[in-house]
Amino acid sequence: MAKPPSSRKKATSAASNNDKLSASSAEDIFEPEDPASATITVNAVEIPELTEQEQSDRLHLERQVEKAFYLAGKALTQLRDRKLYRSTHKTFEEYCRERFGFERRYPYRLMESTVVVDNLIKMCPNRTHFQNDLDTSAPDSSEGQILPINEYQLRPLIPLEPEVQREAWQQAVEEAGGKVPSGRIVKDVVQRIIERTRIPNTYQLGEVCQILAKDNPELRGKGGCWGIVSQVNDFSCTVRTWDGEYTVGLQYLKSYNYLPQECQQMQVICDRINRLQKSENLEEAARAMLKYLGELKRPYLTAVEEKLLSLIEQESGITD
């Protein structure tokens, strides 16, 4: 009687067959293929079109992004003018630096930009999306006027007269093909206008000038203050005052025509006052005294003024 084949042999045979199949499969998988005859299958993904509601929401959100710098400038103006920072900080600059991380000049650029935007809005009698700057609850269906979307585009316009600002912006929009122009386009347009209507800037570094506020809201509270020219620009000067540094158009400056020695004396006074401004121990009475000194109409301190300034320096721990 023949013996049945053992299970061991069956297992061996099965394993051998599996190895052959695996080898065959591997050959099929790794068999070289002609790249020219290879086929790549790409699954098409259908992207649905925006609904009317989504289009409206997108427009609304884009408008909020565009308005961001304008709203920030308006808010900063309120914070500064109403001194809403006074409970935690001595100066507006210190508040902006610690609360928002702004460098010293940046908040002033934002505030100056809002003045320019308000002026540009006057070009168009129709309603614009900036005129509803505080309404963020509903989409704005008005296309309105083409206006800046960041403060960098407005920097070249700040020193210009309101009428010239409008002219320059309109030209920049036209050069951009009816779209929002870049800061470079605006700067180039402004430069051409300046070349065409150039007013010689005769101010020199270190010269002492009086600030004339006139109708410029950004110079509110600075009328009558003296400033020392720290930078001479084409259409403006950057001046240091008792409480900060400002870029002022030539039409808002008037030279005191001090002698060089007198300008140096004012520079020393300015440095002393600016050091005190950075002090955390400065009381309101001392700050009022510094503001008084910042509006002097002469290039020197009286004996009493010198004593008071020295006393404030001693109390604040600032000595030469």
Side-chain angles (χ1 to χ4, degrees), residues 17-34:
N17 291 336
N18 288 337
D19 289 343
K20 290 180 180 180
L21 289 172
S22 299
S24 176
S25 299
E27 290 176 359
D28 291 340
I29 293 173
F30 294 102
E31 183 178 356
E33 189 175 82
D34 183 5

PDB file of all heavy atoms in Angstrom, residues 17-34:
ATOM      1  N   ASN A  17       6.387  26.825  -4.864  1.00  0.00           N
ATOM      2  CA  ASN A  17       5.497  27.461  -5.840  1.00  0.00           C
ATOM      3  C   ASN A  17       5.299  28.940  -5.541  1.00  0.00           C
ATOM      4  O   ASN A  17       5.248  29.768  -6.434  1.00  0.00           O
ATOM      5  CB  ASN A  17       4.140  26.741  -5.846  1.00  0.00           C
ATOM      6  CG  ASN A  17       4.249  25.347  -6.436  1.00  0.00           C
ATOM      7  OD1 ASN A  17       5.167  25.075  -7.221  1.00  0.00           O
ATOM      8  ND2 ASN A  17       3.329  24.458  -6.067  1.00  0.00           N
ATOM      9  N   ASN A  18       5.161  29.267  -4.228  1.00  0.00           N
ATOM     10  CA  ASN A  18       4.994  30.676  -3.844  1.00  0.00           C
ATOM     11  C   ASN A  18       6.205  31.506  -4.228  1.00  0.00           C
ATOM     12  O   ASN A  18       6.091  32.648  -4.661  1.00  0.00           O
ATOM     13  CB  ASN A  18       4.745  30.799  -2.335  1.00  0.00           C
ATOM     14  CG  ASN A  18       3.352  30.302  -1.949  1.00  0.00           C
ATOM     15  OD1 ASN A  18       2.462  30.275  -2.806  1.00  0.00           O
ATOM     16  ND2 ASN A  18       3.180  29.923  -0.699  1.00  0.00           N
ATOM     17  N   ASP A  19       7.396  30.923  -4.026  1.00  0.00           N
ATOM     18  CA  ASP A  19       8.616  31.654  -4.393  1.00  0.00           C
ATOM     19  C   ASP A  19       8.648  31.940  -5.881  1.00  0.00           C
ATOM     20  O   ASP A  19       9.048  33.015  -6.328  1.00  0.00           O
ATOM     21  CB  ASP A  19       9.859  30.837  -4.005  1.00  0.00           C
ATOM     22  CG  ASP A  19      10.032  30.794  -2.495  1.00  0.00           C
ATOM     23  OD1 ASP A  19       9.405  31.653  -1.813  1.00  0.00           O
ATOM     24  OD2 ASP A  19      10.771  29.923  -2.006  1.00  0.00           O
ATOM     25  N   LYS A  20       8.201  30.937  -6.663  1.00  0.00           N
ATOM     26  CA  LYS A  20       8.192  31.137  -8.111  1.00  0.00           C
ATOM     27  C   LYS A  20       7.228  32.241  -8.497  1.00  0.00           C
ATOM     28  O   LYS A  20       7.505  33.070  -9.350  1.00  0.00           O
ATOM     29  CB  LYS A  20       7.808  29.838  -8.804  1.00  0.00           C
ATOM     30  CG  LYS A  20       8.877  28.756  -8.715  1.00  0.00           C
ATOM     31  CD  LYS A  20       8.412  27.498  -9.424  1.00  0.00           C
ATOM     32  CE  LYS A  20       9.484  26.402  -9.336  1.00  0.00           C
ATOM     33  NZ  LYS A  20       9.050  25.156 -10.029  1.00  0.00           N
ATOM     34  N   LEU A  21       6.028  32.233  -7.828  1.00  0.00           N
ATOM     35  CA  LEU A  21       5.051  33.271  -8.130  1.00  0.00           C
ATOM     36  C   LEU A  21       5.569  34.650  -7.750  1.00  0.00           C
ATOM     37  O   LEU A  21       5.387  35.629  -8.465  1.00  0.00           O
ATOM     38  CB  LEU A  21       3.730  32.984  -7.390  1.00  0.00           C
ATOM     39  CG  LEU A  21       2.930  31.789  -7.918  1.00  0.00           C
ATOM     40  CD1 LEU A  21       1.748  31.505  -6.979  1.00  0.00           C
ATOM     41  CD2 LEU A  21       2.423  32.066  -9.327  1.00  0.00           C
ATOM     42  N   SER A  22       6.219  34.693  -6.562  1.00  0.00           N
ATOM     43  CA  SER A  22       6.758  35.980  -6.106  1.00  0.00           C
ATOM     44  C   SER A  22       7.808  36.485  -7.067  1.00  0.00           C
ATOM     45  O   SER A  22       7.857  37.674  -7.408  1.00  0.00           O
ATOM     46  CB  SER A  22       7.355  35.840  -4.701  1.00  0.00           C
ATOM     47  OG  SER A  22       6.346  35.447  -3.786  1.00  0.00           O
ATOM     48  N   ALA A  23       8.655  35.594  -7.499  1.00  0.00           N
ATOM     49  CA  ALA A  23       9.699  36.001  -8.439  1.00  0.00           C
ATOM     50  C   ALA A  23       9.093  36.493  -9.737  1.00  0.00           C
ATOM     51  O   ALA A  23       9.524  37.480 -10.325  1.00  0.00           O
ATOM     52  CB  ALA A  23      10.656  34.831  -8.693  1.00  0.00           C
ATOM     53  N   SER A  24       8.057  35.750 -10.176  1.00  0.00           N
ATOM     54  CA  SER A  24       7.387  36.144 -11.424  1.00  0.00           C
ATOM     55  C   SER A  24       6.737  37.507 -11.284  1.00  0.00           C
ATOM     56  O   SER A  24       6.815  38.337 -12.169  1.00  0.00           O
ATOM     57  CB  SER A  24       6.344  35.086 -11.792  1.00  0.00           C
ATOM     58  OG  SER A  24       5.614  35.490 -12.941  1.00  0.00           O
ATOM     59  N   SER A  25       6.090  37.729 -10.126  1.00  0.00           N
ATOM     60  CA  SER A  25       5.440  39.014  -9.887  1.00  0.00           C
ATOM     61  C   SER A  25       6.465  40.128  -9.847  1.00  0.00           C
ATOM     62  O   SER A  25       6.253  41.230 -10.357  1.00  0.00           O
ATOM     63  CB  SER A  25       4.647  38.977  -8.567  1.00  0.00           C
ATOM     64  OG  SER A  25       3.643  37.983  -8.638  1.00  0.00           O
ATOM     65  N   ALA A  26       7.590  39.857  -9.178  1.00  0.00           N
ATOM     66  CA  ALA A  26       8.636  40.874  -9.075  1.00  0.00           C
ATOM     67  C   ALA A  26       9.166  41.249 -10.441  1.00  0.00           C
ATOM     68  O   ALA A  26       9.433  42.409 -10.737  1.00  0.00           O
ATOM     69  CB  ALA A  26       9.771  40.369  -8.178  1.00  0.00           C
ATOM     70  N   GLU A  27       9.311  40.211 -11.303  1.00  0.00           N
ATOM     71  CA  GLU A  27       9.789  40.496 -12.651  1.00  0.00           C
ATOM     72  C   GLU A  27       8.802  41.382 -13.393  1.00  0.00           C
ATOM     73  O   GLU A  27       9.176  42.286 -14.137  1.00  0.00           O
ATOM     74  CB  GLU A  27      10.017  39.193 -13.415  1.00  0.00           C
ATOM     75  CG  GLU A  27      11.217  38.393 -12.894  1.00  0.00           C
ATOM     76  CD  GLU A  27      11.348  37.067 -13.614  1.00  0.00           C
ATOM     77  OE1 GLU A  27      10.486  36.801 -14.491  1.00  0.00           O
ATOM     78  OE2 GLU A  27      12.284  36.318 -13.327  1.00  0.00           O
ATOM     79  N   ASP A  28       7.471  41.084 -13.174  1.00  0.00           N
ATOM     80  CA  ASP A  28       6.460  41.892 -13.843  1.00  0.00           C
ATOM     81  C   ASP A  28       6.495  43.331 -13.356  1.00  0.00           C
ATOM     82  O   ASP A  28       6.314  44.275 -14.120  1.00  0.00           O
ATOM     83  CB  ASP A  28       5.057  41.312 -13.592  1.00  0.00           C
ATOM     84  CG  ASP A  28       4.882  39.970 -14.309  1.00  0.00           C
ATOM     85  OD1 ASP A  28       5.653  39.728 -15.246  1.00  0.00           O
ATOM     86  OD2 ASP A  28       3.985  39.202 -13.900  1.00  0.00           O
ATOM     87  N   ILE A  29       6.726  43.497 -12.039  1.00  0.00           N
ATOM     88  CA  ILE A  29       6.699  44.835 -11.457  1.00  0.00           C
ATOM     89  C   ILE A  29       7.911  45.650 -11.885  1.00  0.00           C
ATOM     90  O   ILE A  29       7.794  46.825 -12.245  1.00  0.00           O
ATOM     91  CB  ILE A  29       6.650  44.754  -9.927  1.00  0.00           C
ATOM     92  CG1 ILE A  29       5.310  44.143  -9.496  1.00  0.00           C
ATOM     93  CG2 ILE A  29       6.845  46.118  -9.273  1.00  0.00           C
ATOM     94  CD1 ILE A  29       5.230  43.854  -8.006  1.00  0.00           C
ATOM     95  N   PHE A  30       9.053  45.019 -11.863  1.00  0.00           N
ATOM     96  CA  PHE A  30      10.287  45.757 -12.110  1.00  0.00           C
ATOM     97  C   PHE A  30      10.790  45.613 -13.545  1.00  0.00           C
ATOM     98  O   PHE A  30      11.909  46.010 -13.851  1.00  0.00           O
ATOM     99  CB  PHE A  30      11.389  45.286 -11.149  1.00  0.00           C
ATOM    100  CG  PHE A  30      11.084  45.619  -9.714  1.00  0.00           C
ATOM    101  CD1 PHE A  30      10.619  44.632  -8.855  1.00  0.00           C
ATOM    102  CD2 PHE A  30      11.234  46.910  -9.246  1.00  0.00           C
ATOM    103  CE1 PHE A  30      10.324  44.943  -7.534  1.00  0.00           C
ATOM    104  CE2 PHE A  30      10.939  47.217  -7.940  1.00  0.00           C
ATOM    105  CZ  PHE A  30      10.474  46.235  -7.075  1.00  0.00           C
ATOM    106  N   GLU A  31       9.976  45.030 -14.376  1.00  0.00           N
ATOM    107  CA  GLU A  31      10.397  44.869 -15.767  1.00  0.00           C
ATOM    108  C   GLU A  31      10.558  46.240 -16.413  1.00  0.00           C
ATOM    109  O   GLU A  31       9.653  47.078 -16.327  1.00  0.00           O
ATOM    110  CB  GLU A  31       9.348  44.055 -16.532  1.00  0.00           C
ATOM    111  CG  GLU A  31       9.765  43.784 -17.981  1.00  0.00           C
ATOM    112  CD  GLU A  31       8.724  42.942 -18.700  1.00  0.00           C
ATOM    113  OE1 GLU A  31       7.753  42.537 -18.043  1.00  0.00           O
ATOM    114  OE2 GLU A  31       8.898  42.716 -19.901  1.00  0.00           O
ATOM    115  N   PRO A  32      11.663  46.553 -17.025  1.00  0.00           N
ATOM    116  CA  PRO A  32      11.891  47.857 -17.655  1.00  0.00           C
ATOM    117  C   PRO A  32      10.812  48.156 -18.681  1.00  0.00           C
ATOM    118  O   PRO A  32      10.342  47.263 -19.379  1.00  0.00           O
ATOM    119  CB  PRO A  32      13.268  47.715 -18.311  1.00  0.00           C
ATOM    120  CG  PRO A  32      13.900  46.539 -17.641  1.00  0.00           C
ATOM    121  CD  PRO A  32      12.804  45.631 -17.209  1.00  0.00           C
ATOM    122  N   GLU A  33      10.447  49.402 -18.718  1.00  0.00           N
ATOM    123  CA  GLU A  33       9.377  49.819 -19.626  1.00  0.00           C
ATOM    124  C   GLU A  33       9.859  50.971 -20.484  1.00  0.00           C
ATOM    125  O   GLU A  33      10.609  51.832 -20.027  1.00  0.00           O
ATOM    126  CB  GLU A  33       8.163  50.255 -18.802  1.00  0.00           C
ATOM    127  CG  GLU A  33       6.929  50.503 -19.639  1.00  0.00           C
ATOM    128  CD  GLU A  33       5.730  50.817 -18.762  1.00  0.00           C
ATOM    129  OE1 GLU A  33       5.618  51.989 -18.356  1.00  0.00           O
ATOM    130  OE2 GLU A  33       4.931  49.915 -18.462  1.00  0.00           O
ATOM    131  N   ASP A  34       9.411  51.003 -21.674  1.00  0.00           N
ATOM    132  CA  ASP A  34       9.783  52.083 -22.585  1.00  0.00           C
ATOM    133  C   ASP A  34       9.105  53.376 -22.132  1.00  0.00           C
ATOM    134  O   ASP A  34       7.864  53.442 -22.090  1.00  0.00           O
ATOM    135  CB  ASP A  34       9.334  51.731 -24.003  1.00  0.00           C
ATOM    136  CG  ASP A  34       9.763  52.799 -24.999  1.00  0.00           C
ATOM    137  OD1 ASP A  34      10.478  53.732 -24.594  1.00  0.00           O
ATOM    138  OD2 ASP A  34       9.363  52.698 -26.175  1.00  0.00           O
TER     139      ASP A  34
END
